[in-house]
């Protein structure tokens, strides 16, 4: 799966330390419930935790599989051996999203039984599309698709009606927090998932989530808290700039642009440009995280990218604006609402 800045040395070390603290999960676990068997993808890693979870759902001789791991031979052996030992076949393969660690085992499944039908929102050639609300049934299990973009554009959860449980894919994990391609869509999807009021969750990575409403509440609160924290810093800066346009500001919070009076100012090199108050991403990091963000390597690999992801989301909402300033074209941010 794409890891972006999470592949940096800082994050690689941090995530590996976190993974070492995780509980051990069996490669095959048929004790989760009366109709769910979990197969680990046999691909443990800093982003995959104990490995990708794949689930065999139902109680009869024909069942549904959710996700396929990333193609580890041991995973394919575990699944096919279980099917043969229990006289089970797979009718539907449902894929939560396109990441390789969830789709890599499809070829092995089709080699075992070419009659399986693979479903995915935004399907690849040879696959069938999943639409929101679509249901998939087998003996002992009814699964309803819930489109939940954010982690990826095609991300889909599946509600198991018989258990009031949700297969959460990578939107919500069994340990820690997930990441998102699109924070705005992701937060909306978390709220949608919470509105389903499912009691427990079967995540794409990690152990079963025994209290899904509580976990979703924590995820939503974490996202909202970060947004408010970043916006509050910019709003305070805007308020300070408005109350005293002539105030001397520190180098950590001054930029060149248009001030509230529209006056023109010269920069230190004599260039006549507008003046506006704002903060760079580094300024924001310093005000929120203090000394931690002053380590340039940590800022570039960890703090900065996280802040920028939220800032660009706020930009899309119209809550903040930005401009490139100075000879190095550093992007500075400022709140666009009237300061308090």
């Amino acid at each position: 799966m794409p890891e972006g800045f999470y592949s940096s040395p800082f994050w690689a070390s941090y995530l590996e330390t976190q993974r070492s603290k995780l509980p051990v999960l069996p490669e095959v676990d048929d004790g989760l419930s009366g109709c769910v068997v979990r197969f680990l993808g046999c691909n443990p890693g800093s982003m995959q935790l104990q490995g990708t979870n794949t689930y065999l759902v139902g109680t009869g001789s024909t069942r549904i599989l959710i996700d396929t791991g990333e193609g580890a031979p041991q995973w394919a052996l575990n699944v096919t051996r279980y099917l043969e030992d229990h006289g089970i076949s797979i009718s539907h393969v449902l894929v939560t999203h396109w990441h390789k660690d969830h789709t890599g085992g499809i070829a092995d499944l089709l080699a075992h039984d070419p009659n399986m039908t693979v479903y995915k929102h935004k399907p690849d050639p040879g696959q069938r599309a999943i639409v929101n609300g679509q249901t998939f049934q087998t003996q002992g299990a009814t699964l309803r698709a819930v489109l939940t973009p954010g982690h990826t554009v095609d991300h889909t959860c599946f509600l198991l009606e018989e258990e009031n449980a949700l297969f959460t894919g990578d939107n919500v994990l069994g340990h820690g927090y997930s990441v998102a391609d699109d924070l705005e869509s992701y937060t909306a999807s978390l709220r949608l998932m919470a509105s389903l009021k499912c009691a427990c969750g079967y995540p794409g990575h990690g152990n079963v989530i025994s209290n899904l409403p509580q976990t979703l509440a924590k995820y939503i609160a974490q996202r909202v808290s970060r947004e408010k924290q970043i916006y509050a810093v910019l709003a305070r800066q805007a308020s300070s700039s408005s109350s005293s346009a002539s105030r001397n500001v520190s180098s950590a919070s001054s930029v060149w642009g248009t001030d509230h009076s529209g006056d023109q100012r010269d920069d230190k090199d004599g260039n006549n440009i507008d003046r506006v108050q704002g903060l760079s991403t580094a300024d924001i990091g310093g005000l929120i995280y203090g000394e931690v963000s002053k380590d340039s390597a940590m800022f570039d690999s960890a703090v900065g990218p996280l802040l920028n992801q939220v800032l660009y989301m706020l930009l899309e909402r119209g809550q903040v604006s930005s401009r490139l300033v100075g000879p190095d074209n550093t992007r500075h941010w400022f709140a666009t609402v009237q300061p308090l």
Side-chain angles (χ1 to χ4, degrees), residues 27 39-44 50-54 68-72 74-75:
E27 288 186 1
F39 298 86
L40 279 186
C42 301
N43 60 326
Q50 298 97 326
T52 303
N53 292 327
T54 70
T68 70
E70 66 180 32
Q74 186 60 49
W75 172 84

Side-chain angles (χ1 to χ4, degrees), residues 13-266:
S13 175
Y14 171 80
L15 293 171
E16 189 60 31
T17 299
Q18 295 301 108
R19 186 170 73 89
S20 68
K21 302 176 183 177
L22 298 176
V24 175
L25 301 180
E27 288 186 1
V28 181
D29 191 341
D30 58 3
L32 299 183
S33 81
C35 66
V36 179
V37 180
R38 180 181 62 208
F39 298 86
L40 279 186
C42 301
N43 60 326
S46 58
M47 295 293 288
Q48 291 78 22
L49 306 182
Q50 298 97 326
T52 303
N53 292 327
T54 70
Y55 298 97
L56 190 65
V57 186
T59 58
S61 60
T62 301
R63 303 189 188 182
I64 297 172
L65 185 74
I66 298 178
D67 282 338
T68 70
E70 66 180 32
Q74 186 60 49
W75 172 84
L77 179 62
N78 289 340
V79 172
T80 56
R81 181 179 292 163
Y82 189 93
L83 296 176
E84 292 168 354
D85 289 347
H86 293 79
I88 295 170
S89 64
I90 295 173
S91 58
H92 301 71
V93 178
L94 308 182
V95 181
T96 58
H97 62 292
W98 68 267
H99 283 166
K100 181 182 177 182
D101 63 320
H102 293 258
T103 61
I106 291 175
D108 288 326
L109 289 175
L110 293 176
H112 173 75
D113 181 358
N115 294 317
M116 299 178 190
T117 304
V118 180
Y119 291 80
K120 181 166 67 68
H121 186 56
K122 298 184 181 297
D124 296 329
Q127 301 175 358
R128 295 188 184 181
I130 295 174
V131 298
N132 193 46
Q134 185 174 356
T135 59
F136 302 88
Q137 290 183 306
T138 190
Q139 183 177 323
T142 303
L143 292 164
R144 175 160 55 91
V146 184
L147 299 188
T148 50
H151 176 72
T152 60
V153 69
D154 64 339
H155 195 279
T156 308
C157 295
F158 298 96
L159 194 159
L160 177 58
E161 295 183 355
E162 286 76 3
E163 292 188 2
N164 190 32
L166 191 66
F167 292 89
T168 64
D170 279 8
N171 268 12
V172 178
L173 307 181
H175 317 281
Y177 292 93
S178 187
V179 297
D181 285 344
D182 183 333
L183 276 182
E184 186 79 10
S185 295
Y186 179 63
T187 303
S189 289
L190 291 176
R191 296 186 188 280
L192 171 61
M193 293 165 68
S195 74
L196 300 175
K197 300 186 184 303
C198 292
C200 70
Y202 295 107
H205 303 273
N207 214 346
V208 174
I209 304 167
S210 59
N211 189 333
L212 184 59
Q214 182 181 71
T215 300
L216 282 165
K218 289 180 179 178
Y219 265 63
I220 294 169
Q222 188 254 10
R223 295 291 169 179
V224 172
S225 175
R226 182 176 292 168
E227 293 171 28
K228 287 184 175 179
Q229 189 177 35
I230 292 172
Y231 186 78
V233 167
L234 294 174
R236 285 196 297 269
Q237 171 65 17
S239 179
S240 173
S241 300
S242 177
S243 63
S244 180
S246 62
R247 176 184 176 185
N248 290 326
V249 294
S250 68
S251 59
S253 61
S254 62
V255 299
W256 293 103
T258 305
D259 69 8
H260 293 276
S261 65
D263 291 340
Q264 299 289 313
R265 304 294 181 92
D266 290 338

